[in-house]
Amino acid sequence: MTTKYNIGTLNEATLATGTPNLGFQVVNSGSNITIQACINAIKGAEANSQIKSKYVAMSSTATGTGLGMTGKCYKGNNYNPIINPDDTTGTSLFDIYGMPEGECTTIDNCLKGNSRTILQKELTDITTLITANQKEKDDVQIRLLAIEKSMTYASAEQQYNNDIKTAELKKLLDELNKEKEALEAHKLSLSARNSEASILLSDKNRLLATVNTNIQQKYTKLEDVNNNINTITQDIYTNNMEMKRKENIIQTLRVILIIIVIMIVILMIYFGMEIIESNSPGSFTNFANKFNGSSLFI
């Protein structure tokens, strides 16, 4: 959005067409004209005149920007922002600018800088007027107080000033009370948040304690499982050793049994031979001789 640098806005009726009006006159017979051309035309027309226009008004709906704003243009002198504050009612509005001292050549010397100077003077005038009006208002109120209370002006002035200070202190106290209430509300809010945080922290701690307990229980169960595994492993080892020992014993017994059987067979043969020899002397000798002469050995 382009800045226009205007010092005020009024409707066309207030400026020129209404009754009453500020007496502004249209420039260039109401034809569209740039604000730069309008200002320079006014200066040219009033070059030798004793009465110089102080203000120029350009349609608020002017096309273009800066010095090229184009629209209907007015000139005039009777504009006073204190008496005629901005009036944006109606449909035909005009932005008011101050007339520059010299020729309108740049935005700064023609619009921006010139409007800044006018507005600064206007601010000073308004401040001075407000100060003077405040003094007059104070004087009237003191005199009314003196009449109502049957007091001297000096006593009424003292009471009036005291009342002003009391009102200021009361206002300050009210503001402090509001701040206190706000702080109390903030304190309560913080307290509630702290309580909520404490509850959440307590819940968190309980949850952590439960989790830690569960972990400890699982760890204990895991230890029990490991112990059971170790016990079973030890039992398996012991059983294996026992089975190995038993196998060794069985193997030894088998060997011993085989030896005993062999010994029994030998003894049976031996005692059998003894019996045969005792019953039939020379039987084994004859059998041996026959055996030696047998064709088995040919």
Side-chain angles (χ1 to χ4, degrees), residues 121-140:
K121 183 179 181 303
E122 181 182 334
L123 178 61
T124 301
D125 292 343
I126 291 174
T127 302
T128 301
L129 181 61
I130 290 173
T131 301
N133 287 339
Q134 184 61 47
K135 288 181 179 179
E136 182 63 25
K137 176 184 175 183
D138 291 341
D139 180 69
V140 170

Side-chain angles (χ1 to χ4, degrees), residues 70-179:
T70 303
K72 191 175 183 180
C73 187
Y74 281 96
K75 66 177 182 178
N77 285 311
N78 296 327
Y79 172 68
N80 186 328
I82 297 176
I83 299 174
N84 308 111
D86 282 6
D87 181 4
T88 55
T89 59
T91 57
S92 182
L93 302 179
F94 281 77
D95 297 323
I96 301 173
Y97 302 85
M99 288 288 291
E101 292 293 331
E103 186 179 1
C104 180
T105 55
T106 66
I107 289 179
D108 189 65
N109 84 314
C110 189
L111 301 178
K112 183 178 179 179
N114 190 45
S115 293
R116 181 171 56 244
T117 299
I118 293 173
L119 290 174
Q120 287 173 342
K121 183 179 181 303
E122 181 182 334
L123 178 61
T124 301
D125 292 343
I126 291 174
T127 302
T128 301
L129 181 61
I130 290 173
T131 301
N133 287 339
Q134 184 61 47
K135 288 181 179 179
E136 182 63 25
K137 176 184 175 183
D138 291 341
D139 180 69
V140 170
Q141 288 181 316
I142 291 170
R143 293 184 183 280
L144 282 172
L145 182 61
I147 291 173
E148 291 172 355
K149 300 291 185 180
S150 299
M151 304 166 64
T152 63
Y153 184 89
S155 297
E157 184 178 19
Q158 182 65 42
Q159 182 173 334
Y160 178 75
N161 290 333
N162 290 340
D163 291 343
I164 290 177
K165 290 180 180 180
T166 300
E168 290 175 351
L169 291 173
K170 187 177 181 303
K171 181 180 178 182
L172 179 60
L173 181 61
D174 290 341
E175 292 175 354
L176 290 174
N177 284 332
K178 288 181 181 179
E179 291 181 4

